[in-house]
Amino acid sequence: MLLTLPKHTSLKSAMGATRAEKELYFEKLRELLAKYPSIFIVNVDNVGSNQMHQIRVALRGKGIVLMG
């Protein structure tokens, strides 16, 4: 599983997501942490959209990409 976390994992977001959206995100994160025995956390600052697309395609069926 590939899991990317934002720099700040509190309920405050620079993107301005609503509290309900943030709660859903963290619930999904908790579910994934409970389901998978190992995770891979990366920082994707300065990674282009084309490169992220290639990563997602390569991981299809092998892992989950959660971005927040």
Side-chain angles (χ1 to χ4, degrees), residues 2-8 40-48 51-52 55 66-68:
L2 174 67
L3 177 69
T4 59
L5 292 177
K7 287 182 181 180
H8 306 287
F40 185 60
I41 299 174
V42 297
N43 181 339
V44 293
D45 283 352
N46 301 314
V47 176
Q51 188 173 2
M52 282 304 305
I55 292 168
L66 176 66
M67 298 187 71

Side-chain angles (χ1 to χ4, degrees), residues 14-32:
M15 298 295 288
T18 67
R19 182 172 183 89
E21 291 170 330
K22 293 171 194 172
E23 288 174 357
L24 288 173
Y25 171 83
F26 282 100
E27 181 57 34
K28 177 69 172 179
L29 176 59
R30 281 189 285 274
E31 290 172 8
L32 291 171

Side-chain angles (χ1 to χ4, degrees), residues 48-60:
S49 60
N50 187 42
Q51 188 173 2
M52 282 304 305
H53 172 71
Q54 292 171 353
I55 292 168
R56 286 176 182 264
V57 169
L59 289 172
R60 241 178 235 157

